[in-house]
């Protein structure tokens, strides 16, 4: 009888460890999806040139167009609605919040070192660019893990060819 109890106990431990590993792998997949979506959104935002400044020969990012492009890319890549709430097929289950959206234009001298103490982020820009930080919450599949939340950080410069 004690062998049967030992087998049941070992099966319970094995299944729990398996669920924990599965949940951790799913969390890492969501982190990578979030980082890729953020990078695409930051890149799209950094390519939104101000037409009036460009006509004058100045490379300058249009802040309103950049913000619209970043929002559109985040919505498309993470399957979100206009307010950042997840749609039915979204990999996230809670609202994705944009914590920081900053356009660094020619009003700074380059190379420019961007610092954000609140989110412990620092990056050096060689030309105008966009800084984007979003907050993503992992929807746990099992209750073995503590809640996981990330502040995903990204930056992109205006590409010049």
């Amino acid at each position: 009888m004690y062998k049967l109890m030992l087998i049941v106990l070992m099966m319970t431990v094995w299944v729990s460890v398996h669920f924990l590993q599965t949940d951790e792998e799913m969390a890492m997949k969501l982190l990578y999806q979030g980082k890729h979506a953020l990078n695409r959104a930051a890149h799209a935002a950094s390519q939104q040139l101000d037409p009036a400044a460009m006509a004058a020969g100045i490379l300058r990012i249009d802040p309103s167009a950049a913000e619209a492009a970043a929002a559109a890319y985040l919505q498309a890549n993470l399957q979100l609605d206009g307010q950042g709430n997840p749609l039915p097929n979204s990999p996230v289950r809670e609202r994705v919040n944009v914590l920081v959206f900053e356009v660094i234009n020619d009003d700074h001298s380059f190379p420019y070192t961007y610092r954000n103490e609140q989110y412990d982020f620092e990056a050096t820009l060689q030309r105008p660019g966009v800084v984007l930080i979003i907050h993503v919450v992992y929807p746990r599949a099992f209750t073995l893990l503590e809640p996981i939340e990330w502040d995903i950080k990204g930056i992109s410069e205006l590409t010049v060819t």
Side-chain angles (χ1 to χ4, degrees), residues 104 109-114 123-131 155-158:
I104 310 298
S109 60
F110 293 100
Y112 174 73
T113 301
Y114 172 84
T124 301
L125 291 157
Q126 301 299 324
R127 59 183 63 90
V130 171
V131 177
I155 193 164
S156 180
E157 295 179 338
L158 176 66

Side-chain angles (χ1 to χ4, degrees), residues 3-161:
K3 287 182 181 178
L4 182 61
M5 292 300 292
L6 182 63
I7 290 172
V8 169
L9 178 66
M10 292 305 293
M11 292 280 297
T12 303
V13 169
W14 180 80
V15 167
S16 296
V17 169
H18 181 69
F19 285 160
L20 178 65
Q21 180 181 3
T22 302
D23 216 12
E24 287 174 346
E25 289 175 8
M26 290 168 45
M28 291 309 298
K29 180 181 178 186
L30 178 61
L31 175 62
Y32 289 130
Q33 284 178 321
K35 181 62 176 165
H36 290 303
L38 176 100
N39 287 343
R40 291 178 185 120
H43 179 74
S46 70
Q47 304 312 305
Q48 304 304 311
L49 290 174
D50 183 353
M54 197 164 115
I58 300 169
L59 293 177
R60 182 173 185 77
I61 298 171
D62 181 0
S64 59
E67 190 169 8
Y73 269 73
L74 280 176
Q75 290 169 15
N77 286 296
L78 292 177
Q79 299 173 6
L80 306 171
D81 66 8
Q83 287 74 40
N85 297 313
L87 295 173
N89 292 330
S90 177
V92 295
R93 296 289 168 252
E94 292 187 29
R95 187 173 194 272
V96 174
N97 295 311
V98 176
L99 303 174
V100 174
F101 180 82
E102 287 190 43
V103 175
I104 310 298
N105 267 319
D106 59 350
D107 51 341
H108 298 90
S109 60
F110 293 100
Y112 174 73
T113 301
Y114 172 84
R115 287 184 181 88
N116 188 317
E117 302 285 329
Q118 182 179 2
Y119 297 107
D120 190 32
F121 185 59
E122 181 176 316
T124 301
L125 291 157
Q126 301 299 324
R127 59 183 63 90
V130 171
V131 177
L132 187 59
I133 301 175
I134 61 173
H135 183 78
V136 177
V137 177
Y138 169 64
R140 298 179 299 165
F142 308 103
T143 56
L144 296 171
L145 284 178
E146 294 293 321
I148 299 175
E149 299 182 19
W150 301 284
D151 292 335
I152 305 174
K153 306 160 191 166
I155 193 164
S156 180
E157 295 179 338
L158 176 66
T159 54
V160 181
T161 55

